[in-house]
Amino acid sequence: MPRTVGVRATVRDIAAETGLSIATVSRVLNGAANVAPHTRDLVLQAVHRRGDKAPLRRGELPPATGAVYVRCPYVLTDYFGLIVSSIAETIELHGRQMLLNAGEAAQTAAVLPTLADRPDVAGAILILPPESPDDLVRLRDQQFPFVVIDPRTLAPKDIVTVSAAHFAGARRLMSHLVELGHRRVGIIGGPPEWLANDARMAGYVAPLADAGVLPTPELVRHVNEPNTDNGYRAAGELLDLPDRPTALVAFNDKMAVGALAAAHERGLRVPQDLSIAGFDDIDVSRATTPMLTTVRQPLQEMGRMAVTMLMRLLDRHTLEAVHVSLGTELVIRDSTAAAPRR
């Protein structure tokens, strides 16, 4: 079989030669038990034919060299900017270079299919990736090291992820409102297909249920793009209900800013007539009047943790914890108060 002299074969080469999938070849090379004997022999024979140009097996792999590819297909404003800046600083401390793929136009770029074939890239950090779980699995099956920050959907158990404790943060926030006497709370959720939205919704509902309040669909709105304008529109719908809520919680701080505008437009005083809370604790939460009660996400620590875990993967260490959830903190400011008497 013709081969390029002096170039080590890849798992993809062995898969093409044997007619097996990349995942199957990887399982054989990694010593997995769930492989048929005939299949194992087929792969090992192909490896033997390659000689010293065969793919290295687990335990033989040297630390990977090259840059870290950071994919953040969003505008680098407060939220994403904090994550990316902390990633860049931590990568530099490890003596690596960073290749950044950012901006909303990058969402349509087919980056993942060719990422593992780039000789200048050692591994990647993917921030809220728009790609499907199947795309992530295919990248994993190519034995390419990567870490996902804040996955949109539930990641397979062996894909390394870093996120915030969305459920715990949302539960603590709603508990704060319940303690203030609020029972009719409007919820402005994020994109319904996002994992973070599911976790926060569950966290919001739990304290209300403990207080004997069942969730009602009329008090819930979801938006596909969690920004100020959509927060304003969703809040307006909730505040125009015949029996309006006494409090609003928003998926993020930007949407809470929109809710503040909707309340002001209707002559409602915050927090005397209406309490409003956000999530994230980005700079805008401290620039409003009143300043927002919110939940602080450890955005910079998420970036640092992702780099640390990726470096361990690049050094061929085994990770005992592959799904890391960092703690959140309730930040009480001036936008929440006791429920008004009706």
Side-chain angles (χ1 to χ4, degrees):
M1 177 178 178
R3 299 190 299 273
T4 302
V5 177
V7 177
R8 185 175 296 279
T10 65
V11 173
R12 187 187 298 275
D13 295 330
I14 299 296
E17 180 178 342
T18 59
L20 300 170
S21 69
I22 292 175
T24 299
V25 174
S26 296
R27 285 198 296 272
V28 174
L29 295 178
N30 291 334
N34 58 333
V35 180
H38 170 72
T39 301
R40 187 182 304 278
D41 291 343
L42 190 64
V43 172
L44 295 180
Q45 288 170 13
V47 169
H48 179 72
R49 286 194 295 273
R50 297 275 177 168
D52 61 0
K53 299 298 182 291
L56 294 173
R57 306 186 196 185
R58 180 172 290 175
E60 303 173 330
L61 297 170
T65 59
V68 175
Y69 191 94
V70 178
R71 176 160 164 77
C72 183
Y74 309 96
V75 177
L76 299 184
T77 51
D78 292 349
Y79 182 91
F80 293 109
L82 286 170
I83 297 175
V84 171
S85 63
S86 68
I87 289 173
E89 292 167 358
T90 311
I91 287 175
E92 186 175 6
L93 289 175
H94 284 274
R96 298 260 183 177
Q97 290 186 323
M98 182 178 86
L99 299 177
L100 178 61
N101 172 250
E104 291 182 342
Q107 292 188 19
T108 58
V111 172
L112 268 56
T114 60
L115 201 51
D117 296 328
R118 293 187 53 166
D120 59 330
V121 173
I125 295 175
L126 311 175
I127 303 171
L128 195 65
E131 289 83 5
S132 70
D134 290 341
D135 291 329
L136 299 179
V137 167
R138 280 190 286 270
L139 186 61
R140 176 206 64 192
D141 289 345
Q142 295 178 73
Q143 295 185 305
F144 181 77
F146 67 97
V147 176
V148 177
I149 294 180
D150 212 5
R152 283 197 185 198
T153 56
L154 188 64
K157 63 181 181 179
D158 53 353
I159 287 180
V160 182
T161 66
V162 179
S163 60
H166 298 291
F167 174 85
R171 178 171 186 145
R172 184 67 191 91
L173 175 59
M174 188 61 78
S175 295
H176 165 65
L177 292 174
V178 169
E179 290 165 4
L180 291 172
H182 295 278
R183 297 297 183 269
R184 190 165 173 80
V185 181
I187 300 173
I188 308 174
E193 69 276 10
W194 284 14
L195 187 64
N197 179 72
D198 287 344
R200 292 182 197 177
M201 290 297 294
Y204 293 143
V205 169
L208 289 171
D210 291 342
V213 179
L214 297 177
T216 172
E218 72 167 353
L219 288 178
V220 178
R221 297 291 186 276
H222 287 284
V223 302
N224 291 322
E225 184 66 28
N227 55 34
T228 302
D229 288 343
N230 284 332
Y232 167 80
R233 282 190 286 269
E237 293 178 8
L238 293 169
L239 296 178
D240 288 340
L241 291 172
D243 184 13
R244 65 169 176 80
T246 64
L248 296 176
V249 293
F251 180 77
N252 63 17
D253 291 336
K254 291 180 180 180
M255 294 174 69
V257 170
L260 284 171
H264 177 74
E265 192 175 80
R266 287 159 176 77
L268 297 173
R269 300 167 302 162
V270 177
Q272 295 91 335
D273 303 321
L274 176 73
S275 289
I276 295 178
F279 208 105
D280 290 342
D281 193 32
I282 59 176
D283 287 347
V284 71
S285 68
R286 296 179 291 278
T288 57
T289 303
M291 291 192 293
L292 282 171
T293 291
T294 187
V295 174
R296 179 176 297 148
Q297 287 203 71
L299 301 176
Q300 292 175 301
E301 183 60 26
M302 287 163 62
R304 288 189 286 264
M305 178 63 71
V307 175
T308 299
M309 297 180 77
L310 179 63
M311 292 303 141
R312 289 182 60 80
L313 291 175
L314 295 180
D315 290 338
R316 313 302 179 186
H317 294 299
T318 300
L319 297 179
E320 294 183 0
V322 294
H323 297 314
V324 175
S325 179
L326 299 179
T328 53
E329 177 186 355
L330 175 65
V331 180
I332 301 174
R333 297 197 180 102
D334 302 329
S335 65
T336 52
R341 294 185 179 183
R342 294 292 179 91

